[in-house]
Amino acid sequence: MLRAQDLMTENVIAVTKDTEVRELALILTENKISGVPVIDGTGKLIGVVTESDLIFQNKKVHIPTAVAILDAFFFLESPEKMEQEMKKMSGVTVGDIYAPEVISVQKDTPLDELATLMAEKNIHTLPVLDKEELVGVIGKSDIIRTIAEGR
């Protein structure tokens, strides 16, 4: 059975929280990839940023619904969520838009688990770790290429 280490791209293109959004867009388009890991100054994986995060910046602003009762306003949605969305939409650096909730796999994770995880969690970029060290990345195109090659 194929494992993550058999499919992953080892020359990982990663960014930091200080990478500008425009530079991120160039990295993704020039390398024809849909996302990259975000690392800290020591090289530790702290998140992932994808094309979806860039596209999010151009969506319409959603104003939370409020109800007025006896001269008081009650928001039906969290004002904190709106604040987070506004920050993400106006983000200038990767630190403003990346997803810190990282879903990653170990290098010995079997192909069927990779495919299931990517499909069920709608993941496009999956960092591959050897214990805590970032050693590769798997994109949906890597899974598709494996299928096409009949492996």
Side-chain angles (χ1 to χ4, degrees):
M1 159 122 341
L2 291 174
R3 305 205 172 272
Q5 63 192 4
D6 302 319
L7 309 172
M8 69 184 190
T9 300
E10 293 181 34
N11 297 327
V12 179
I13 298 169
V15 296
T16 66
K17 289 169 61 171
D18 297 327
T19 303
E20 291 185 9
V21 168
R22 184 171 165 8
E23 183 181 349
L24 171 65
L26 288 171
I27 289 169
L28 296 179
T29 55
E30 288 174 357
N31 293 284
K32 296 180 175 73
I33 53 179
S34 61
V36 292
V38 181
I39 56 174
D40 67 12
T42 65
K44 182 180 180 219
L45 178 67
I46 59 169
V48 172
V49 64
T50 67
E51 292 170 323
S52 297
D53 296 314
L54 287 173
I55 291 169
F56 187 92
Q57 287 196 301
N58 292 294
K59 76 174 208 158
K60 290 181 180 179
V61 176
H62 171 72
I63 306 298
T65 306
V67 176
I69 300 175
L70 300 174
D71 294 331
F73 288 95
F74 297 95
F75 287 100
L76 299 180
E77 299 167 41
S78 165
E80 290 83 20
K81 181 180 178 190
M82 181 181 173
E83 183 179 334
Q84 290 172 343
E85 286 189 2
M86 293 299 291
K87 181 180 177 188
K88 191 170 183 174
M89 289 172 73
S90 63
V92 176
T93 65
V94 167
D96 297 324
I97 67 170
Y98 83 108
E101 305 83 28
V102 181
I103 297 176
S104 61
V105 295
Q106 292 294 313
K107 66 180 187 174
D108 61 348
T109 304
L111 174 60
D112 59 345
E113 284 184 37
L114 298 171
T116 301
L117 185 62
M118 291 179 105
E120 290 180 355
K121 302 284 186 185
N122 197 25
I123 298 172
H124 300 275
T125 304
L126 195 55
V128 181
L129 304 176
D130 183 3
K131 295 183 178 85
E132 294 291 317
E133 180 185 355
L134 179 64
V135 295
V137 68
I138 296 175
K140 285 189 174 185
S141 60
D142 295 316
I143 304 281
I144 294 168
R145 185 176 55 250
T146 301
I147 294 167
E149 292 172 354
R151 294 198 280 167

